[in-house]
Every structure is written in structure tokens, then in C-alpha cells.
Amino acid sequence: MKVIIKPAVFILSLLPFFALIYYGFTSQLTANPIEFITHYTGDWALYFLLITLAISPLRVITGSNAYTRFRRMLGLFAFFYAYLHFTTYFVLDQFFDFQAIIEDIVKRPYITVGFTAFVLLLPLAVTSTQKMIMRLGSRWRQLHSMIYPLTGLAILHYYWLVKADTRTPIMLGIIFTSLMILRHPWAKQIRNRVLPVRKKA
Amino acid sequence: MQIKKQDPIKSSEITCKTDYLSRRDFLARTAGVGMVGTLAGTTLLPGSNLAYGAALSNISKSPLSTTDETLTDLESISTYNNFLEFGNDKKDASTKSGGFTTRPWTITFEGECNKPGVFNLEDFIKPHQLEERIYRLRCIEAWSMVIPWVGIPLADVLKRFEPNSNAKFVTFTTVYRPEQMPGQKKNTKLNWPYKEALRIDEAMHPLSLLAVGMYGEDLMNQNGAPIRLVVPWKYGIKGPKSIVKISFVSAQPDTIWTLFDPKEFGFYSNVNPEVDHPRWSQRKERRIGNLIKQDTLMFNGYADQVASLYTGMDLKKYF
């Protein structure tokens, strides 16, 4: 049973990507496919960032470490969708128009923060291997705590883009804040007071 | 002011007639598919937009139409809409406007004019000759379409009400019906009802159009039925839909977008590649259906006809 769970999570995480390909083959990418793909991949990058950040709170709440082994994979899927998101913008939307891209990054705050979030995500993806964890030691933890501010920036990126209808990014912001609170040490203390601590067999 | 005489539109540039005529069959078929629950039908239109698709007759072709561009297909024009009254998603206008009723419809003319009045829409349209006007539509979000509107010149309409010398601006107000328009309930950041305005000389310009149809038929709900404003040299936000009131006023009014954020949206909102929006570069646009962006033209390519309206104005200040 345990053997198939990880591949199952892997396949599940790829489903949004397969769905996108399916939409493409069945002409369901709307009248403006590039915009649709950009929004879709951006949405999923954010969802996976939040799913990754949900692992620690899950450990606090359940008192079980069982979920931690998916964390790296989920984080890498966040990078995968963020990479598709960025590439769609870079290639399909701007078509390598560097001047326009630089202008966007400098002049448009929502792109400034979105681009920053992506740049901060890059070293986390690169240093996700076991080898790098060993090599970096305690600095690895420091480096990877970057996921908190970069997720905040990614949500701000969404918030500043939509402007008029901010309900979705606000909801994501609330989820993000809750996950940050739930991972705090005193969340664990409260939990231990309410629920009996599970004894190891 | 120069009005270009243009060649009549070539038949090869118009969507193939059989495709156009069979589109209802297509919609009916996909609606059926949706009902049996397959994925393919779910993102397409429900049958709702079939309600007022009566063909319009006695339409004359206008020399003011653009002639050298491919029309955007009806499927795109009718499924990709910014009609925030129905929701902020582009597909909301086509999927959530089924219950929107546009008959009977009354339209009120009021303010600084000698002959104000309230009209039933059909009676109000009757004295006018319908024209087909093929215009480029440029959205402030940097995409564009080419749309064969059917409508009546706004100037002809306004003159009927004899605006007086105090009439310096004309405001257009969209219907307020939150029970039929979910976006008016949900999107609380906008100051409903949608209100936009033109300077009187802009409103009187021969290109300004009150559209009642598209592709030779009545407007569909998602496109602003039953009557909407089309000002082709301005961003699409300056084209309020489902209009119930037109007022002549003496001072420049606040509009829904200038109230929302005056730094992002100017009163004029003329298409101008030199003035960037804080969120979108306006230098280029994606024509719906094309992969590569194209350069945006000053006044959306209507500079010859409209630039004289703004002589001496700093268009970076009055954007």
C-alpha cells in the first residue's frame, strides 16, 4: 500500500497539466488561449505552494509525520506549474520581446512581485536534492524558509492583477495566513492540550 | 475632419455564410452535449443566448466600416466578454446572462435638452436607418477584435432631443438589476450602475454608434443587448452595455472607472500606445485568433477621423 501512495500523489499532481492538454485538443482554451494558459498555470502554481505549506500544519494537527515525505515532490510541482506559467508569459505572450518583458518587470508592480517570487523559487527547486540538503546543512533550512515570503508575493501578484474582483486572491491570502498560524509552535501546544499525544507503539 | 471613403467590404472577408447560418445548430448541438454531461459541452454556451436572435432587416452598409481586416468569429465575440454586470470572468457574460430580459425595454433621455423623453426601445429605433459598421474593438487589457455591429449613428439620435448650449457632456447609464446580473451583487468594488460619458463633440462624431445588433442580428445578451454604445477609437470600457438612460449634462461627470481608480483610468480612455496602463502595456495588442501580438495604433487606427477632436490637448495628462 505504502509503495503506491507516492506515485499516486505524483500522477494526481500531474492531472491539472493533463487536463490543460486535453482542453487544448478539444478547443476549450477560450477565445484567448494564451491568457487562459497563463492564468491556469499560475493558479496551479499557487495551489501547489499552499498545498506544500499545508504539510507542516497537517503534522501538527494529526501528530503524524506521514505526510512529510510528499513535501519535496509537492514543492517541485509548485515549481513545475510556476515554470509553465513563466514560460507561457515569456514565450507565448511576449514572444521573447525582451524590451517589453523588462519594461513589464520594472513598471508593472504585479509583474515585479510575480517575477521576484519566481526568481526566489528557482534556488529552492535547484537545491531540493538529497545531496544539496547534505551539502548545505543548516543553511538549507534557512534558504528554504524563502517559500513563506515568496508565497506571499505570489498571492500579491494575483491580488494586484485582478484589482476589481479580489475575492479569490483574498481567499488564498486567508488560507496562507491560516497555514502560517497553524505551523507556529503554540499551535502545537494547544493541540497537545486538546488532543492526547499519540504514543509511539 | 476627414472621413475616408472606403471600398465596400469584399465578400471573401466575411465569415462564410453557411458557417454563420448553421451556428445555431452548432449551439443547439453543444447544448445537448452539455446536458448528457460530457465535458465538451460544459464550457460552451447554454441555449440561453438564442432568445433574441431575430435577424434584422433593411441594414445599409456604412462607408465608415473598416474593410481590410478579418472579422472575429462569432463564437469568440459571443463567449469572450468583459461584461462585469454578469461577473468578472470572461465567460460569465455568456453563461450567466440567460435570465436577463431585454423586452420590453425603455430608454430615457434627460438633462440639458429641449425634448427629453422616455421611449419604448422599438419605437425609439424605428425612425432610424440601421447601418452595419465594421469596427476594431480594442480592450484596455491589450486584446482586440473586429466586429460587424449593426446600429444607428449616435449623433442622429442625440440631435432628436435638441441638446441646449449647456449640454457639454453625455452620460450613458446601464440598467441596474442585481437579481438578474450577479456581478452587480458580487463585485462590490465598482460603483453600480455602470456609467460612462463622452464629451458632446465626441458623442456627435460620425463614428460614435449606438449598436442594437451584430452579424446582422439582434445583439445577444452577452454583447450588451438590447442597446449599447460603441466608440471605436476608445478602449472597450467606454462602451456601456444595456443602456437605459442617456443624459445631457453641463460638467464632466464621474464615470464608473474613474471612480474606481483615477490613476488607472482616465475620463477619455482613448486608445493610445504611448500611454501605458499601470497593469498593461498599451504598445501592442493580441488580435483574438492570432498568436503574435501586433502594434496598437493611435486612436485604434481612427486617428485620421478623430485626432482633430483633441487638438492642443496633452493626451498623456488627459488619458
Side-chain angles (χ1 to χ4, degrees), chain A residues 22 28 30-32 34-35 92-95 97 103-104 107-110 159-167, chain B residues 39-40 43 76 80 88 90 143 186-187 189 260-261 264 276-281 283-284 286 288 291-293:
Chain A
Y22 173 78
Q28 294 186 67
T30 78
N32 195 346
I34 295 171
E35 182 192 67
L92 294 178
D93 189 42
Q94 296 290 5
F95 205 70
D97 184 344
E103 214 173 89
D104 264 358
K107 283 170 74 177
R108 281 170 252 297
Y110 89 91
Y159 181 83
W160 278 346
L161 165 70
V162 291
K163 201 145 189 249
D165 186 1
T166 49
R167 286 169 298 157
Chain B
L39 269 170
T43 57
S76 296
Y80 189 77
N88 285 58
K90 298 280 191 298
W143 53 266
K186 285 182 189 154
N187 195 339
K189 290 199 168 184
F260 174 67
D261 189 344
E264 288 204 351
D276 276 352
H277 184 278
R279 283 178 283 156
W280 305 285
S281 165
R283 222 165 297 230
K284 289 184 175 185
R286 174 165 294 109
I288 293 302
L291 183 65
I292 306 290
K293 289 181 183 176

Side-chain angles (χ1 to χ4, degrees), chain B:
Chain B
M1 182 185 57
Q2 181 191 353
I3 305 288
K4 268 201 238 162
K5 278 269 177 254
Q6 284 163 321
D7 303 328
I9 185 159
K10 275 183 268 167
S11 61
S12 61
E13 283 163 350
I14 298 179
T15 298
C16 155
K17 183 147 189 178
T18 49
D19 279 356
Y20 178 61
L21 289 176
S22 65
R23 75 202 183 285
R24 293 197 185 287
D25 298 339
F26 168 74
L27 291 172
R29 260 185 283 126
T30 49
V33 171
M35 268 180 266
V36 293
T38 66
L39 269 170
T42 50
T43 57
L44 291 165
L45 300 180
S48 59
N49 62 327
L50 305 178
Y52 294 109
L56 295 162
S57 54
N58 196 19
I59 303 168
S60 70
K61 303 264 182 218
S62 169
L64 295 170
S65 284
T66 174
T67 55
D68 50 359
E69 285 168 292
T70 314
L71 296 183
T72 304
D73 63 293
L74 183 77
E75 167 93 19
S76 296
I77 300 176
S78 60
T79 57
Y80 189 77
N81 309 96
N82 274 328
F83 195 165
L84 303 190
E85 279 79 350
F86 292 108
N88 285 58
D89 198 291
K90 298 280 191 298
K91 64 179 189 298
D92 287 341
S94 48
T95 57
K96 294 179 180 169
S97 65
F100 181 60
T101 50
T102 57
R103 300 290 190 282
W105 192 269
T106 50
I107 183 162
T108 304
F109 288 81
E110 59 170 38
E112 302 288 349
C113 62
N114 298 332
K115 293 183 171 171
V118 179
F119 297 83
N120 180 281
L121 186 69
E122 278 85 0
D123 303 335
F124 158 71
I125 300 291
K126 215 170 275 167
H128 295 275
Q129 166 69 47
L130 291 179
E131 293 181 21
E132 182 180 72
R133 296 268 185 107
I134 301 167
Y135 282 160
R136 289 177 287 272
L137 175 114
R138 170 63 155 79
C139 178
I140 199 162
E141 296 169 349
W143 53 266
S144 62
M145 296 181 173
V146 179
I147 302 177
W149 301 107
V150 177
I152 51 183
L154 178 62
D156 293 355
V157 171
L158 297 185
K159 281 173 197 156
R160 273 170 65 184
F161 304 98
E162 300 180 5
N164 61 38
S165 58
N166 288 331
K168 303 276 195 271
F169 294 88
V170 187
T171 67
F172 303 81
T173 310
T174 293
V175 71
Y176 182 67
R177 259 189 228 166
E179 71 283 0
Q180 288 185 357
M181 297 174 138
Q184 290 181 333
K185 251 187 288 190
K186 285 182 189 154
N187 195 339
T188 50
K189 290 199 168 184
L190 289 170
N191 210 331
W192 305 110
Y194 201 105
K195 199 172 89 174
E196 268 302 338
L198 299 173
R199 225 168 51 191
I200 187 93
D201 57 340
E202 296 177 322
M204 290 293 189
H205 192 279
L207 286 175
S208 296
L209 186 77
L210 278 177
V212 295
M214 186 190 70
Y215 265 115
E217 295 193 358
D218 276 345
L219 274 181
M220 290 188 273
N221 284 352
Q222 57 265 47
N223 296 112
I227 186 164
R228 64 166 293 168
L229 180 64
V230 178
V231 189
W233 71 92
K234 292 176 180 284
Y235 295 117
I237 54 167
K238 294 295 284 188
K241 306 175 177 89
S242 310
I243 296 168
V244 288
K245 192 165 74 181
I246 296 180
S247 327
F248 299 95
V249 296
S250 56
Q252 180 177 310
D254 289 328
T255 66
I256 189 163
W257 291 107
T258 57
L259 284 171
F260 174 67
D261 189 344
K263 287 195 292 293
E264 288 204 351
F265 302 96
F267 174 80
Y268 288 94
S269 291
N270 291 319
V271 176
N272 186 343
E274 298 304 317
V275 177
D276 276 352
H277 184 278
R279 283 178 283 156
W280 305 285
S281 165
Q282 300 298 8
R283 222 165 297 230
K284 289 184 175 185
E285 67 199 52
R286 174 165 294 109
R287 180 64 51 82
I288 293 302
N290 292 356
L291 183 65
I292 306 290
K293 289 181 183 176
Q294 61 194 69
D295 288 340
T296 289
L297 303 175
M298 188 64 199
F299 295 115
N300 202 20
Y302 298 96
D304 286 352
Q305 288 108 307
V306 301
S308 59
L309 291 170
Y310 309 102
T311 312
M313 275 175 74
D314 179 358
L315 294 177
K316 289 204 158 91
K317 188 177 171 202
Y318 298 99
F319 59 95

